[in-house]
Amino acid sequence: KVTDGPYFIKKDGTTRVMNARLGVKAYLKGGELPYDPESKGLIPVYDVKTGDYRMININTLTSLKIGNNTYTIQ
């Protein structure tokens, strides 16, 4: 499930592109999150480039590329 994107708008207003994977659990440290990301409109992803976990706000997604398919979010 490697994505080439998503493109989203960061809190500071700049656009970011991330090569991310969903569902990666191999590098998790510690216990559970103190909140439910889905209830806050967040998607937890693994940033392949940095090796870190990130949260993407679904309300700031502008496009998503999965394989050869690109999806524009309006």
Side-chain angles (χ1 to χ4, degrees):
K1 295 182 183 178
V2 175
T3 63
D4 190 21
Y7 291 80
F8 60 96
I9 300 169
K10 294 174 21 177
K11 283 185 181 181
D12 66 5
T14 60
T15 301
R16 179 170 183 187
V17 178
M18 184 184 305
N19 188 349
R21 293 188 69 160
L22 298 170
V24 175
K25 306 229 186 277
Y27 307 106
L28 288 175
K29 298 175 189 170
E32 298 288 319
L33 288 173
Y35 61 92
D36 175 28
E38 187 175 323
S39 70
K40 296 183 179 283
L42 301 172
I43 302 170
V45 298
Y46 179 75
D47 185 338
V48 175
K49 184 176 179 181
T50 66
D52 296 324
Y53 287 89
R54 304 278 183 218
M55 295 286 180
I56 298 175
N57 183 333
I58 60 172
N59 296 314
T60 65
L61 279 172
T62 57
S63 66
L64 186 64
K65 183 175 179 184
I66 302 172
N68 292 325
N69 300 314
T70 300
Y71 304 92
T72 301
I73 300 161
Q74 300 178 358

